[in-house]
Amino acid sequence: MTATEPIARRKLYQEVVERMLDWIKTGRYAPGDQLPSERQLMETFGVGRPAVREALLALQRMGMISIVHGERARVLAPTADTMLEQVSAIAQHMLASSPDALGHMREARVFFETGMVRIAAQRATADDVRRLEAILEEHRRAAPGTPAFLDRDMAFHRAIAEISGNPIFSSLSSAMFTWLSAFHADLIRAPGAERLTLEEHGRILAGIAAHDPEEAAAAMDAHLTRANALYAQLLKTPR
């Protein structure tokens, strides 16, 4: 854009969004606080009800507020989950449209998960280990190739992330799994893949239970590297 190009006109609701965001960012309305009513907002900004409602919906989509019928909108506390939800659609679009990006995300996940499982092996309590054992048993009982099997797979990895006590780890682990899940269908249907996944999860769990960070990290690295290699092989297989 050059200095001589005309400035694009903004829609009225976007101005309302910007001002309400400023309220939230400056702490005028803190997490848990209710925003003014629609009528009060109309009077404050000198706009009609459609602009106010569209602005509130935009803030809700951004994860900044919650809207419950019959109540005033309420400011939400920011979380890693809501932050990652905002980039979820573009992340999945990027992965679907770029084979290189998909490979980069898989490589990033190996780096992230091996580091995360080291922390889990250092910090896991007896209760944490029992929880992982229960999830792994549920995973074994889930029918191969079903949504339940994939769900227990994600639950196992998220539970490892939660051992760290860092909510960003938990949210990022789930987000990466979700973003890549669209490309998992062929993997879980590959002959013997389910059995290998369960065996590898068992070895990861053994490393955590033994409080051996290197053993746990090596098991996680082998698990994800094997899955990545299988996916690359499937891509080269004629359909």
Side-chain angles (χ1 to χ4, degrees):
M1 179 179 291
T2 67
T4 58
E5 289 184 34
I7 297 174
R9 295 187 62 181
R10 302 178 70 189
K11 293 184 178 180
L12 198 56
Y13 87 90
Q14 293 173 320
E15 295 289 346
V16 177
V17 167
E18 187 172 294
R19 295 194 191 187
M20 294 173 72
L21 278 174
D22 188 61
W23 284 353
I24 295 170
K25 291 174 181 177
T26 59
R28 179 172 175 178
Y29 291 94
D33 289 347
Q34 286 187 313
L35 293 175
S37 67
E38 286 186 1
R39 180 166 296 280
Q40 289 171 318
L41 291 171
M42 291 163 58
E43 293 173 354
T44 298
F45 299 126
V47 299
R49 192 178 300 274
V52 166
R53 287 187 172 175
E54 197 165 357
L56 289 171
L57 288 173
L59 289 170
Q60 183 184 45
R61 287 192 295 270
M62 294 166 64
M64 302 297 291
I65 65 172
S66 65
I67 300 174
V68 178
H69 182 68
E71 298 181 10
R72 287 185 289 157
R74 190 179 298 275
V75 178
L76 293 175
T79 67
D81 279 335
T82 55
M83 176 188 71
L84 289 166
E85 284 171 9
Q86 298 308 305
V87 300
S88 182
I90 188 64
Q92 292 182 67
H93 174 63
M94 176 186 73
L95 296 178
S97 59
S98 171
D100 286 343
L102 182 58
H104 295 157
M105 181 64 76
R106 290 185 179 282
E107 183 179 42
R109 186 179 178 221
V110 173
F111 179 83
F112 169 72
E113 297 255 358
T114 52
M116 188 178 65
V117 80
R118 280 192 176 94
I119 295 175
Q122 292 167 344
R123 300 181 183 176
T125 65
D127 285 343
D128 292 327
V129 172
R130 282 192 290 270
R131 183 185 175 205
L132 286 173
E133 289 172 342
I135 294 172
L136 182 56
E137 183 55 35
E138 291 170 357
H139 200 183
R140 290 189 179 110
R141 292 199 300 267
T146 65
F149 191 89
L150 198 60
D151 176 76
R152 291 299 82 196
D153 193 343
M154 181 168 73
F156 183 80
H157 285 271
R158 176 149 188 146
I160 291 172
E162 288 173 349
I163 292 172
S164 70
N166 186 329
I168 295 178
F169 285 176
S170 304
S171 298
L172 191 53
S173 176
S174 292
M176 283 187 171
F177 194 101
T178 299
W179 297 341
L180 292 166
S181 64
F183 309 95
H184 282 185
D186 288 340
L187 291 182
I188 62 176
R189 284 195 293 263
E194 299 94 344
R195 177 184 54 79
L196 278 174
T197 293
L198 293 170
E199 289 176 356
E200 289 163 353
H201 280 192
R203 286 193 284 273
I204 293 167
L205 175 54
I208 294 172
H211 299 288
D212 187 331
E214 295 310 312
E215 179 185 340
M220 180 68 80
D221 182 84
H223 169 52
L224 296 178
T225 301
R226 188 270 308 168
N228 290 351
L230 177 57
Y231 183 79
Q233 181 181 347
L234 288 171
L235 283 180
K236 297 175 184 178
T237 303
R239 302 298 177 101

